[in-house]
């Protein structure tokens, strides 16, 4: 839910002057932040703690309606409600979990008041155990503003449609209720000035932008790349250890995998550093490479132990796997992650270049004997480096992406990468996407090129004095 909300805010803020307010609701509704700039709204979303409780839909709509009265002049007003659809509390605070007709009717009435205030109501329904599609249809401004998914992990599949519903061109009017009778005399000619859809640099309506070719240029159509890319098999190892989501100290989430939480572990906010930033980086990397080359992808996650989430597969299967990963916490078994990637890359198709991309904050804390050490684990470090060397001997190019979290270790990244130019650093997880083009380019090799090799350690003793013919 948070990821959906954050992407929606960022998407609308990128194209329009905008203000955002956040209301959460359980037994009662709470105005978490009034109409504010996107950055403040995003911080608020990130800090929300899940409450549980009954479902007071009418109070949520009421609080949104009242807050939207403060919208700046000239702003269109939208209310986007994300819910599983069944109101169970009412104005009198008399919850009823079975069939609360009063709760339902109050929610619909409150939505009608919002529409009378020129608020467009968009209803996003999740097919959970108490899903109620009829409510969504009754509270939305029109049926086309009802969006459904079967489960919460599918919410992001609808983000483009919801964004488009609230992204109105200057020459357009927001949606109105359709007339009940057809137009008697439709015009047969085209609209003289049709509204233009927001287009990317390639002219694609709401498109993703240009695709990077192996030689560094970007094109709108992969067929326009002057040189073809070599086929690749890529194993992506994602650090989901406790340090990724710890606050202030590196080991606050180390026992999360054992069911022991901590108020210094950002798990209650669903660990946005992993579930939003790391996943988004991984998904963009997969899509970028798959667009230009024959490719296979494998995903390994690692905390105290490493897990092969999916073997070498097509991009679509790998993307689904990334989306379904649950953050675990725990210690950091870097060597086991590299081992699992190395073993899986032995299954790469003939002719594929092999890459291992590891995303980590850099400090190994577990070893082959499963003897974790959170202070200074020299054995853990050495085993990770040794495993990376074995991968390189198997013709695997190791790319290390390091995040400056509470336990950052740049030296490890340099030691495990195939060369220093294949080390990429960011200061925090929310900056990962800033490096996506560079990482993509490192694994996007032209047909006539050779992958990077380690330089020779000594100069040629007797260089030729004449140029090569």
């Amino acid at each position: 839910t948070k990821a959906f909300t954050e992407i929606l805010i960022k998407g609308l803020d990128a194209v329009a002057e905008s203000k955002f307010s956040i209301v959460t609701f359980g037994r009662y509704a709470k105005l978490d932040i009034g109409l504010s700039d996107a950055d403040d709204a995003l911080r608020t979303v990130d800090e929300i703690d899940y409450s549980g409780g009954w479902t007071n839909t009418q109070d949520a709509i009421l609080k949104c309606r009242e807050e939207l009265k403060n919208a700046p002049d000239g702003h269109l007003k939208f209310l986007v409600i994300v819910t599983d659809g069944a109101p169970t509390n009412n104005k009198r605070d008399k919850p009823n979990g079975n069939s609360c007709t009063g709760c339902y009717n109050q929610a619909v009435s409150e939505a009608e008041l919002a529409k009378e205030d020129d608020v467009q109501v968009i209803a996003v329904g999740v097919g959970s155990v108490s899903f109620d599609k009829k409510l969504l249809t009754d509270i939305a401004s029109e049926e086309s503003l009802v969006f459904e998914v079967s489960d919460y992990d599918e919410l992001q599949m609808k983000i483009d449609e919801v964004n488009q519903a609230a992204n109105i061109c200057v020459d357009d009017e927001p949606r109105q209720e359709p007339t009940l009778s057809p137009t008697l005399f439709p015009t047969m000619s085209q609209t003289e000035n049709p509204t233009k859809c927001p287009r990317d640099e390639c002219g694609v309506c709401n498109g993703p932008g240009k695709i990077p070719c192996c030689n560094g240029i970007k094109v709108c159509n992969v067929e326009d790349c002057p040189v073809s890319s070599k086929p690749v098999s890529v194993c992506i190892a994602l650090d989901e250890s406790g340090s990724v989501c710890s606050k202030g100290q590196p080991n606050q989430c180390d026992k999360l995998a054992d069911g022991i939480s901590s108020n210094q572990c950002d798990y209650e906010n669903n660990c946005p550093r992993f579930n939003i930033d790391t996943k988004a980086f991984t998904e963009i990397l997969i899509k970028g490479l798959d667009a230009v080359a024959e490719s296979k992808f494998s995903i390994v996650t690692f905390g105290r132990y490493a897990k092969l989430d999916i073997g070498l597969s097509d991009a679509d299967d790998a993307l689904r796997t990334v989306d379904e990963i649950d953050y675990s916490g725990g210690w950091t078994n870097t060597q086991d992650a590299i081992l699992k990637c190395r073993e899986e890359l032995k299954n790469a198709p003939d002719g594929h270049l092999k890459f291992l991309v590891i995303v980590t904050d850099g400090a190994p804390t577990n070893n082959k004997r499963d003897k974790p050490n959170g202070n200074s684990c020299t054995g853990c470090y050495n085993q990770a480096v040794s495993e990376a060397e074995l991968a390189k001997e198997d013709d695997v190019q190791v790319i290390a992406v390091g995040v400056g979290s509470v336990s950052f270790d740049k030296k490890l990244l340099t030691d495990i990468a195939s060369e220093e130019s294949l080390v990429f650093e960011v200061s925090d997880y929310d900056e990962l996407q800033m490096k996506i083009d560079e990482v993509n380019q490192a694994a996007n090799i032209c047909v006539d090129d050779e992958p990077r090799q380690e330089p020779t350690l000594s100069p040629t003793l007797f260089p030729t004095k004449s140029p090569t013919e």
Side-chain angles (χ1 to χ4, degrees), residues 253-274:
C253 301
D254 285 351
K255 296 182 179 179
L256 187 61
D258 300 323
I260 303 172
S261 189
S262 162
N263 59 9
Q264 291 301 307
C265 173
D266 203 19
Y267 187 68
E268 289 186 354
N269 287 325
N270 201 27
C271 187
R273 293 175 188 162
F274 184 83

Side-chain angles (χ1 to χ4, degrees), residues 11-12 15-16 78 162-169 172 175 198 206:
L12 290 173
V15 295
F78 290 90
V162 178
N163 180 298
Q164 200 62 43
N167 189 358
I168 307 299
C169 295
D172 285 354
R175 293 174 172 82
N206 293 309

Side-chain angles (χ1 to χ4, degrees), residues 414-448:
T414 305
D415 287 347
I416 64 176
S418 291
E419 60 177 81
E420 194 167 356
S421 66
L422 296 183
V423 175
F424 302 93
E425 297 176 67
V426 293
S427 61
D428 203 351
Y429 276 89
D430 59 9
E431 297 178 6
L432 268 174
Q433 291 190 45
M434 295 168 58
K435 293 291 182 181
I436 190 66
D437 283 347
E438 296 174 59
V439 177
N440 179 299
Q441 202 63 44
N444 192 355
I445 308 298
C446 294
V447 169
D448 296 332

Side-chain angles (χ1 to χ4, degrees), residues 42-285:
L42 288 167
R43 275 192 290 273
T44 298
V45 172
D46 189 49
E47 293 167 359
I48 292 171
D49 291 326
Y50 173 70
S51 66
W54 301 91
T55 310
N56 200 331
T57 311
Q58 70 84 22
D59 195 23
I61 299 173
L62 168 64
K63 285 193 166 47
C64 276
R65 178 172 69 85
E66 291 178 337
E67 181 56 28
L68 285 168
K69 291 178 180 178
N70 301 319
D73 291 341
H75 276 217
L76 299 179
K77 295 178 287 186
F78 290 90
L79 191 166
V80 181
I81 185 167
V82 181
T83 180
D84 57 18
T88 55
N89 200 14
N90 55 28
K91 292 180 180 180
R92 298 174 58 207
D93 192 21
K94 299 290 186 183
N96 185 339
N98 295 318
S99 179
C100 185
T101 304
C103 310
Y104 187 105
N105 292 338
Q106 287 176 14
V108 174
S109 296
E110 196 57 56
E112 290 303 315
L113 292 174
K115 297 170 197 175
E116 291 174 10
D117 289 343
D118 295 323
V119 175
Q120 292 285 304
V121 182
I122 299 172
V124 182
V126 184
S128 75
V129 290
S130 60
F131 183 66
D132 186 343
K133 181 178 178 180
K134 185 175 184 302
L135 173 75
L136 304 176
T137 305
D138 287 347
I139 63 177
S141 292
E142 61 178 82
E143 193 167 357
S144 67
L145 296 183
V146 175
F147 303 92
E148 297 176 69
V149 293
S150 61
D151 201 352
Y152 276 92
D153 59 10
E154 296 179 7
L155 269 175
Q156 292 191 45
M157 295 168 59
K158 292 291 183 182
I159 189 66
D160 285 346
E161 296 174 57
V162 178
N163 180 298
Q164 200 62 43
N167 189 358
I168 307 299
C169 295
V170 170
D171 296 333
D172 285 354
E173 291 298 321
R175 293 174 172 82
Q176 304 294 333
E177 289 295 329
T179 56
L180 297 179
S181 57
T183 303
L184 295 178
F185 305 103
T187 59
M188 303 302 291
S189 58
Q190 298 177 348
T191 303
E192 291 184 7
N193 298 299
T195 302
K196 294 182 178 180
C197 168
R199 297 180 181 274
D200 67 6
E201 56 192 331
C202 296
V204 178
C205 180
N206 293 309
K210 291 186 175 181
I211 300 167
C213 299
C214 61
N215 63 350
I217 71 168
K218 291 187 175 183
V219 298
C220 293
N221 189 326
V222 66
E223 295 177 357
D224 294 331
C225 286
V227 186
S228 298
S229 298
K230 288 188 176 181
V232 293
S233 287
V234 184
C235 182
I236 306 173
L238 303 176
D239 187 347
E240 57 173 352
S241 63
S243 55
V244 173
C245 287
S246 291
K247 302 175 183 177
Q249 298 294 324
N251 303 319
Q252 300 303 312
C253 301
D254 285 351
K255 296 182 179 179
L256 187 61
D258 300 323
I260 303 172
S261 189
S262 162
N263 59 9
Q264 291 301 307
C265 173
D266 203 19
Y267 187 68
E268 289 186 354
N269 287 325
N270 201 27
C271 187
R273 293 175 188 162
F274 184 83
N275 284 314
I276 296 176
D277 301 326
T278 301
K279 285 187 176 183
F281 170 88
T282 307
E283 291 167 350
I284 294 170
L285 178 64

Side-chain angles (χ1 to χ4, degrees), residues 4-14 20 22 38 41-42 45:
F4 170 88
T5 307
E6 290 169 347
I7 295 171
L8 179 63
I9 291 173
K10 290 176 182 177
L12 290 173
D13 186 60
F20 302 91
I22 305 296
L42 288 167
V45 172

Side-chain angles (χ1 to χ4, degrees), residues 455-461:
T456 56
L457 298 179
S458 58
T460 304
L461 293 178

